[in-house]
């Protein structure tokens, strides 16, 4: 397999990890975002106000989780339209899942600072 094929084969190797959530018997699965999903997440965090782009942190956790929560095979459970639904979940549940989603997709405080700086 040539280098290009090896590189492109990585798209089929998204990391998927199970997370134990209090109150549930089955685990919740969280996976790495694709580049496209991460870009969509970051774009969803901004809104246009006149000529300026302003960071909008409303439902920030839910915006990430609709793209990260999946079934055991890696298929998304939620659509972008489910952001409000997930945003209404208890914050401790979201915090447990967001920690794993951030870890798997390499998102941290530095990334938020970069988004704000743009």
């Amino acid at each position: 397999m040539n280098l290009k094929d090896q590189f492109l084969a990585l798209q089929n190797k998204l990391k998927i990890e199970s997370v134990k959530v209090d109150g549930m018997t089955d685990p919740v699965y969280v996976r790495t975002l694709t580049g496209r999903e991460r870009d969509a997440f970051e774009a969803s965090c901004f809104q246009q106000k006149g000529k300026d782009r302003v960071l909008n942190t409303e439902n920030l956790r839910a915006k990430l989780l609709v793209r990260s929560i999946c079934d055991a095979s890696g298929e998304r459970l939620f659509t972008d339209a489910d952001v409000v639904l997930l945003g209404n979940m208890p914050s401790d549940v979201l915090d447990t899942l967001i920690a794993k989603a951030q870890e798997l997709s390499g998102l941290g405080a530095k990334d938020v600072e970069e988004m704000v700086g743009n």
Side-chain angles (χ1 to χ4, degrees):
M1 186 182 308
N2 67 36
L3 184 58
K4 178 181 176 182
D5 292 338
Q6 290 178 51
F7 182 76
L8 293 176
L10 295 175
Q11 66 186 323
N12 298 320
K13 299 196 185 296
L14 297 175
K15 293 178 189 171
I16 302 169
E17 293 191 18
S18 63
V19 178
K20 173 72 175 116
V21 174
D22 288 339
M24 293 184 62
T25 54
D26 294 330
V28 175
Y29 294 94
V30 178
R31 68 168 171 79
T32 306
L33 295 179
T34 65
R36 182 182 300 229
E37 288 168 334
R38 181 165 172 172
D39 290 345
F41 163 69
E42 290 177 357
S44 75
C45 295
F46 289 93
Q47 63 187 107
Q48 201 70 33
K49 289 203 174 184
K51 294 181 181 181
D52 298 324
R53 273 183 56 190
V54 179
L55 181 64
N56 177 6
T57 59
E58 184 178 352
N59 277 331
L60 186 68
R61 290 174 181 82
K63 289 175 185 178
L64 178 57
L65 291 176
V66 295
R67 294 169 171 86
S68 301
I69 295 175
C70 62
D71 63 18
S73 67
E75 292 297 315
R76 282 177 61 171
L77 291 185
F78 299 101
T79 69
D80 295 349
D82 293 321
V83 167
V84 173
L85 184 67
L86 259 65
N88 289 327
M89 296 293 295
S91 63
D92 60 330
V93 171
L94 296 179
D95 288 346
T96 299
L97 295 168
I98 205 75
K100 182 55 71 178
Q102 286 178 301
E103 173 192 329
L104 290 174
S105 292
L107 288 164
K110 177 184 170 203
D111 299 294
V112 173
E113 289 171 14
E114 287 178 8
M115 285 171 42
V116 172
N118 288 335

